[in-house]
Amino acid sequence: MNLPNAELRRAIIDTCLAMNRLGVNQGASGNLSARADGGFLITPSGMPYDETKPADIVEMGFDGSYAGERRPSSEWRFHRDILAARSDAQVVLHAHPTFATVLAVYGRPIPSFHYMVALAGGDSIRCAPYATFGTQELSNHALAALEGRRACLLANHGMIVLGNDLKGALALAVEVEALARQYVYALMLGEPTILPPEEIERVAEKMRSMKYGQGGGGEPDPDAPRRR
């Protein structure tokens, strides 16, 4: 039997394994989805990633229907709602990285203490209010926190990041966790200096011109002198 989207299914599993290997996630927690065939593919509920096979990845429609032998992740609602609302996102990654979750349990967003916060689409990485996992309430909170952003924290829970592809989503998740770790350490010395919104917009524009963080190494810095 030919499995539809077999290559994408394998890539989803490989990305989940990389999430754990890179410290973005632990065990069977977290979940991942990617657009496919007018709907999306999503990781199954409660399966360890090292035991997950391509056939275990669940095919879902935007009406909440699903096909296959496995049940979809319990967080399928926010995956569906985000992909439905955000045409700029092809992938939704949810994980429980340590430092992002430390901030999330205090309901604390990540402000622009470092210019790399701009990678997430604005001058902060917001923290959505708490709601029980898998509920429509949590999905609604996540959508609001992601407005104009490509990453958010979920209070007492973890993080969500959006990507143009699986590689990009994973890279952003790693970056958000690095920022969370740096911010937690900075807070040990006191409140850090926060960069103003106009500087973050300047940084974001420079990143866009370089295609920074979009894979392939990006374009040369237009301000860099050329070697003769």
Side-chain angles (χ1 to χ4, degrees), residues 17-204:
L17 291 169
M19 284 162 53
N20 285 10
R21 187 171 66 250
L22 294 171
V24 173
N25 201 54
Q26 308 84 34
S29 64
N31 29 76
L32 183 63
S33 66
R35 290 186 192 274
D37 299 336
F40 58 99
L41 297 176
I42 189 168
T43 47
S45 179
M47 279 195 80
Y49 297 130
D50 59 359
E51 296 177 9
T52 303
K53 308 300 181 191
D56 295 320
I57 300 298
V58 182
E59 180 182 347
M60 292 200 72
F62 286 105
D63 60 356
S65 62
Y66 68 93
E69 296 183 3
R70 304 293 182 185
R71 289 182 295 111
S73 166
S74 59
E75 302 287 22
W76 64 266
R77 285 178 179 80
F78 69 59
H79 287 267
R80 177 198 61 185
D81 293 349
I82 291 168
L83 289 171
R86 294 288 297 267
S87 60
D88 59 321
Q90 300 299 312
V91 172
V92 177
L93 184 157
H94 168 55
H96 303 164
T98 299
F99 286 90
T101 303
V102 166
L103 294 172
V105 299
Y106 284 93
R108 189 154 190 161
I110 303 175
S112 53
F113 78 104
H114 193 289
Y115 74 87
M116 289 291 278
V117 167
L119 274 180
D123 63 356
S124 67
I125 298 171
R126 302 183 186 111
C127 185
Y130 178 78
T132 305
F133 77 93
T135 61
Q136 188 61 46
E137 183 182 11
L138 178 59
S139 180
N140 295 343
H141 289 333
L143 275 173
L146 285 166
E147 185 175 352
R149 301 288 193 270
R150 297 185 71 80
C152 74
L153 306 183
L154 302 175
N156 304 88
H157 191 153
M159 72 151 70
I160 297 174
V161 303
L162 313 183
N164 296 328
D165 53 30
L166 291 164
K167 181 179 179 181
L170 179 61
L172 182 55
V174 169
E175 187 61 49
V176 171
E177 174 63 356
L179 287 165
R181 182 174 66 251
Q182 293 159 3
Y183 185 45
V184 168
Y185 286 155
L187 288 170
M188 294 178 181
L189 301 177
E191 290 290 338
T193 299
I194 304 301
L195 297 172
E198 57 268 25
E199 174 58 17
I200 296 302
E201 178 52 40
R202 188 178 299 116
V203 168

